[in-house]
């Protein structure tokens, strides 16, 4: 079985969450791309990737969950989705350089957020729920940390989907929240023991 994982803002496909998924799901192929910084590049790239990979499940965290939501026709888990990146000034500011928290395949150490990138996020966000199918309504799950002080998109998720659960955790996943919230849901969705 195959899972595609989309990381959060400033991270990469080499995050600790990816390593934990590989460790805890050794029979799965875990595909974890480095997401381009600009959503004008990221969204088409990710759509092409999932069409090529045809995963059994997509898992996204934070910004990655916002992208995962738009992968219509696939089962997906959105962990603390950040549906409003363009207005999250405490996370992303135009004109600021940010370090990548994990190694990237291209060797990049940091990235700059421009006004155009913020504008591109805003344009994408206004369209992000257009395309939801009946399949997506049944096969999209939201997981929301009860101690998340970074993002709170629970109500926005519930406007569009019904499968929402809260878990004892913060914004970023750690081994405990992965094992208590994400992995049981993966097993439930994919009907595995």
């Amino acid at each position: 079985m195959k899972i595609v994982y989309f990381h959060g803002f400033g991270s990469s496909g080499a995050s600790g969450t990816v390593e934990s998924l590989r460790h805890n799901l050794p029979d799965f192929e875990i595909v974890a791309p480095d997401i381009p910084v600009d959503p004008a590049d990221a969204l088409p790239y990710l759509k092409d990737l999932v069409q090529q990979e045809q995963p059994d499940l997509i898992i996204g965290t934070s910004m990655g969950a916002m992208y995962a939501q738009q992968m219509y026709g696939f089962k997906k888990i959105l962990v603390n989705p950040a549906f409003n990146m363009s207005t999250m000034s405490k996370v992303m500011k135009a004109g600021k350089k940010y370090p990548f928290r994990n190694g990237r395949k291209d060797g990049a150490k940091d990235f700059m957020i421009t006004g155009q990138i913020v504008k591109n996020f805003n344009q994408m966000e206004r369209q992000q729920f257009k395309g939801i199918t009946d399949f997506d309504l049944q096969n999209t799950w939201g997981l929301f940390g009860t101690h998340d002080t970074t993002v709170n998109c629970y109500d926005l998720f519930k406007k569009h989907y019904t499968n929402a659960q809260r878990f004892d955790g913060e914004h970023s996943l750690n081994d405990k929240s992965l094992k208590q919230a994400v992995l049981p849901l993966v097993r439930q969705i994919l009907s595995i023991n």
Side-chain angles (χ1 to χ4, degrees):
M1 295 190 108
K2 186 184 293 186
I3 292 174
V4 170
Y5 173 77
F6 294 165
H7 63 76
F9 181 75
S11 192
S12 77
S15 73
T17 300
V18 173
E19 294 310 310
S20 291
L21 286 169
R22 287 184 174 135
H23 175 77
N24 287 289
L25 298 168
D27 296 334
F28 281 73
E29 179 183 353
I30 310 292
V31 176
D34 289 348
I35 298 174
V37 173
D38 190 331
D41 300 324
L43 189 60
Y45 166 73
L46 295 173
K47 285 182 175 181
D48 287 347
L49 177 82
V50 298
Q51 287 304 320
Q52 280 182 315
E53 296 291 343
Q54 290 295 307
D56 299 285
L57 180 65
I58 300 169
I59 301 172
T61 55
S62 191
M63 178 193 74
M66 179 261 307
Y67 285 124
Q69 187 280 137
Q70 298 175 76
M71 302 297 122
Y72 302 120
F74 292 91
K75 294 179 179 182
K76 49 202 175 268
I77 298 173
L78 315 181
V79 183
N80 295 320
F83 295 133
N84 52 359
M85 291 294 297
S86 66
T87 58
M88 293 178 59
S89 61
K90 69 178 181 177
V91 173
M92 182 176 76
K93 290 183 181 169
K96 185 172 176 186
K97 186 183 272 191
Y98 294 86
F100 284 113
R101 293 190 302 272
N102 311 99
R104 306 257 304 181
K105 289 184 179 119
D106 64 3
K109 302 288 182 208
D110 53 39
F111 61 100
M112 177 70 76
I113 292 295
T114 65
Q116 186 61 52
I117 289 173
V118 174
K119 183 178 176 184
N120 291 346
F121 268 108
N122 184 270
Q123 289 173 341
M124 182 194 59
E125 289 160 9
R126 285 184 276 147
Q127 306 295 318
Q128 69 182 314
F129 297 106
K130 295 179 179 176
I132 297 171
T133 66
D134 288 342
F135 176 89
D136 297 304
L137 291 174
Q138 297 297 315
N139 291 284
T140 302
W141 288 263
L143 288 176
F144 298 86
T146 55
H147 307 290
D148 186 348
T149 58
T150 306
V151 175
N152 183 1
C153 290
Y154 180 86
D155 291 340
L156 183 52
F157 179 89
K158 288 290 286 177
K159 254 175 109 169
H160 300 280
Y161 297 103
T162 57
N163 298 325
Q165 300 174 19
R166 297 198 186 267
F167 68 95
D168 182 21
E170 298 179 10
H171 183 68
S172 296
L173 284 176
N174 59 29
D175 281 342
K176 178 183 172 193
S177 53
L178 187 79
K179 288 177 182 174
Q180 290 180 350
V182 178
L183 294 175
L185 186 55
V186 167
R187 291 182 178 104
Q188 173 193 325
I189 292 168
L190 299 178
S191 302
I192 56 174
N193 293 326

